[in-house]
């Protein structure tokens, strides 16, 4: 499981101009099963995405396709973690420690 933290690198008007494309991209990733939750940070200086993928390389590839990245309005920080405990709705994403 991964936490994707987006930090804006451009003024909000530049970010806002790309939001429609970013939201369409988010919708695609939800449909493909990569994303579990997402939203803006408070204060509004970026966002957070909770994601799943088979490995870090795959999630880096997914993140690189974000229109925010192509427009140069954000940077990603990706943190991988082992989800040993989850809400019942996410039970199929639980992992065990080796």
């Amino acid at each position: 499981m991964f936490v994707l933290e987006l930090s804006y690198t451009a003024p909000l008007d530049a970010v806002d101009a790309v939001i429609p494309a970013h939201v369409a991209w988010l919708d695609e990733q939800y449909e493909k099963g990569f994303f579990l939750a997402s939203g803006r940070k408070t204060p509004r200086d970026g966002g957070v995405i909770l994601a799943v993928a088979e490995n870090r390389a795959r999630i880096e590839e997914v993140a690189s396709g974000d229109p925010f990245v192509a427009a140069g309005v954000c940077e990603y920080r990706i943190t991988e973690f082992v989800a040993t405990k989850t809400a019942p709705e996410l039970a199929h994403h639980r992992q065990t420690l080796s």
Side-chain angles (χ1 to χ4, degrees), residues 1-51:
M1 195 167 286
F2 300 88
V3 176
L4 285 61
E5 182 180 4
L6 293 74
S7 295
Y8 296 147
T9 58
L12 286 179
D13 60 333
V15 172
D16 288 343
V18 188
I19 282 184
H22 173 73
V23 169
W25 173 81
L26 286 170
D27 290 343
E28 289 175 23
Q29 305 321 308
Y30 277 105
E31 289 175 23
K32 292 176 181 176
F34 288 118
F35 292 174
L36 303 176
S38 61
R40 290 179 177 172
K41 292 192 294 187
T42 302
R44 188 176 171 211
D45 60 2
V48 175
I49 302 169
L50 183 60

